[in-house]
Amino acid sequence: MAKVLGGDGVVSVDSLWLLFDNTPMRLLATLVNAIVIAIIFSNVIEGSLVEGWLLSMLAVMAYRYVLFLKFKQNNDVEYLDKKWIVLYVIGLLSTSFVWAMSVPLFFPQSALSDQLLLSFVLGGMVAGSPTVSSYHFYMYAIYNIPILFVLMIYVFMSGNYYFGWMVILFMMISL
């Protein structure tokens, strides 16, 4: 089995293929949840903020889909290089950061019920992540930690300490 990153086999070619094979499922979940969030928060938050956030998410998704297509066209599995894992991580981090940005954009300006809904969707995205990347801890952590960390900060800043500790507990259990 050829290794793509690191002599200790951090990411193997087979593992990289699995990560890319799961990209369409991840993108579909992201699209559905992003549209739901945009629809719900467009009634609460200024429209240009919601539209800008949704366009950012769509741009990241387009990048990841094009990357997926280019990777699939690469049939020479034995000679994959580090660029594929770096490009994959860039897409994963970008998605994570756009999700994390939903918290400072939408959380402070919304009612408790909307905050709980946003937290539930973010938690669902994090909880769903193991189905497509749990066999690769680094990818799982790269995606989940920024989302949950930003949510945790805003929950504590809002004064809801019990919920903040629940986010910390969820983060620890999910990792």
Side-chain angles (χ1 to χ4, degrees):
M1 181 185 320
K3 304 295 182 197
V4 175
L5 184 62
D8 60 348
V10 171
V11 177
S12 69
V13 171
D14 294 339
S15 187
L16 188 60
W17 275 97
L18 282 172
L19 288 168
F20 272 103
D21 281 344
N22 289 321
T23 297
M25 183 176 24
R26 287 186 100 138
L27 292 178
L28 179 61
T30 300
L31 178 64
V32 169
N33 284 321
I35 289 172
V36 167
I37 289 296
I39 290 170
I40 291 170
F41 282 92
S42 65
N43 296 324
V44 180
I45 309 295
E46 182 184 332
S48 62
L49 284 177
V50 176
E51 291 166 4
W53 176 83
L54 184 58
L55 286 174
S56 298
M57 184 63 79
L58 292 174
V60 168
M61 290 175 59
Y63 163 80
R64 291 185 67 196
Y65 188 70
V66 168
L67 182 63
F68 163 76
L69 292 176
K70 288 184 181 215
F71 181 82
K72 287 299 190 174
Q73 290 172 354
N74 182 10
N75 294 325
D76 196 2
V77 220
E78 291 300 317
Y79 297 104
L80 290 176
D81 58 26
K82 290 181 185 180
K83 79 173 183 179
W84 291 109
I85 195 64
V86 170
L87 293 172
Y88 184 86
V89 167
I90 289 169
L92 198 62
L93 268 174
S94 299
T95 305
S96 177
F97 287 140
V98 175
W99 275 121
M101 285 306 299
S102 68
V103 177
L105 287 175
F106 305 151
F107 200 84
Q109 302 174 41
S110 55
L112 180 61
S113 60
D114 293 328
Q115 291 175 355
L116 290 174
L117 174 70
L118 179 62
S119 301
F120 180 74
V121 168
L122 293 175
M125 291 301 293
V126 167
S129 184
T131 61
V132 293
S133 65
S134 63
Y135 54 88
H136 202 289
F137 176 76
Y138 299 107
M139 298 305 156
Y140 180 71
I142 284 170
Y143 179 76
N144 290 345
I145 290 174
I147 296 170
L148 291 176
F149 187 73
V150 172
L151 178 61
M152 176 195 63
I153 288 171
Y154 272 84
V155 167
F156 275 116
M157 285 175 40
S158 73
N160 194 338
Y161 299 108
Y162 295 114
F163 188 41
W165 284 108
M166 291 303 294
V167 173
I168 290 173
L169 179 63
F170 180 70
M171 185 185 316
M172 290 183 342
I173 290 171
S174 69
L175 290 174

